[in-house]
Amino acid sequence: MPGSPPGAPRWDGILERNALATMQLAYELGATVLDVGTTAASQRLAGHFLRNVVRDQVVVAATIPATRMLSPDAHWAPTPFRRRLHRFLTTLNTDHLDILTLNVTDLAHAEPALIGAQLQAVHQQGLFQHLALALPESPHRPPRPSSRTAIHGPALIHALIHAAAPACLVADCNALTAPGPTGWDPVALASEHGLALLATDPLAHGLLLGRGARAPQTVVTDGGHKGVRSGGHERAETINRYLPAIHRRFGISTQDLARAFLRMTLQRHPRAVVLCDLTADCGMEYVTDLGTPLTDDDTAFLARWSARLRRRLADLGRPTTTAPS
């Protein structure tokens, strides 16, 4: 840290120790799925954590890019993909992933049957145990330069599921999530194919915990032009106006809200795993005080509440889920 006196603790070292302590406590409280991010810091933390636990008691999941990043015409190339996977495993100091996630976006230009055969060969090498497919981004997210949403139709999704034989699907699922760009519900799609579900962003980046307005989000268009997505504060304030009904029924504390919305996500699918960010300020709220499952009446109440809120957000003329950085 610039200007720090000799011997002073580095700020990044303090953050890393806090993050490791949070991960360890989550593990002791029963969280056993570790979803490793794509950043070097995330992989380094995961590697440190795995050294201190029994490997077969933790499910390690990670998303590995199947094609060159930010290349609209990139095709599935098994050799570079295997190199990336080997490097990733070396960083984590493990010999396999329990769940290997591939983005449907990455596979859009490849032949599903060819992908299935090549993934089977990687699986036979013992580099991963189970495959997951991450569904295309929902309409609430800004398009990436490499976005190929025009060909993310139901036919492609079903063909990839049949060819690659994944064990689960990965998708954003929370009280604000509207159906995806092709109109299907991720929970219904997983149920239709008998797959498990890894539900991401269950608390809508903290907006369902009443954390207030977020800053406007920068959007990069397909043409490379930068702009600002307005209305972030308005959407957050609308969500906050709807939260008193949740407070009256479930409680006013952050833990009460987390319990309600996490249980809502878990109970939508019989084989669902909820992936939460374990950040220093709110990580413990996600894994403590979950309590008993919701009653059928509570579940129905949350479903009606979220449907009304999604309609209200849609009436604002904005995307139905807010996901600021």
Side-chain angles (χ1 to χ4, degrees), residues 18-37:
N18 289 342
L20 284 171
T22 301
M23 294 169 67
Q24 183 63 36
L25 181 55
Y27 173 70
E28 293 170 0
L29 291 169
T32 57
V33 178
L34 174 64
D35 184 54
V36 184

Side-chain angles (χ1 to χ4, degrees), residues 175-176 203 207-210 238-262 264 294 297-309:
L176 306 181
L203 298 173
L207 289 175
L208 291 174
L209 299 183
T238 299
I239 294 169
N240 286 344
R241 286 197 295 270
Y242 271 70
L243 286 177
I246 302 297
H247 293 156
R248 288 191 294 271
R249 190 177 188 98
F250 299 102
I252 198 170
S253 73
T254 304
Q255 288 86 349
D256 293 329
L257 294 175
R259 173 190 172 272
F261 291 120
L262 291 177
M264 176 188 180
L294 298 173
D297 187 52
D298 287 338
T299 302
F301 172 84
L302 280 169
R304 293 192 301 269
W305 178 88
S306 60
R308 288 195 298 269
L309 178 53

Side-chain angles (χ1 to χ4, degrees), residues 31 48 54-56 70 73 90 102 121 124 138 168 176 193 217 219 258 262 271 286 290 301 318 324:
H48 287 320
V54 179
R55 174 63 180 86
D56 61 7
L70 302 180
D73 56 350
T90 299
L102 297 178
Q124 290 173 351
S138 299
C168 58
L176 306 181
H193 290 275
Q217 183 179 10
V219 176
L262 291 177
R271 291 191 294 142
Y286 294 179
L290 286 181
F301 172 84
R318 310 298 187 194

Side-chain angles (χ1 to χ4, degrees), residues 185-204:
D185 177 3
V187 178
L189 187 64
S191 298
E192 177 184 349
H193 290 275
L195 304 177
L197 179 69
L198 295 183
T200 59
D201 196 18
L203 298 173

Side-chain angles (χ1 to χ4, degrees), residues 184 278 317:
W184 34 252
L278 290 181

Side-chain angles (χ1 to χ4, degrees), residues 12 26 75-76 80 118 133 179 225 256 267 285 287-288 309 312:
D12 54 355
H75 288 259
W76 163 261
Q118 292 171 337
L133 287 180
H225 303 292
D256 293 329
Q267 292 182 212
E285 296 163 357
V287 293
T288 57
L309 178 53
R312 174 56 184 157

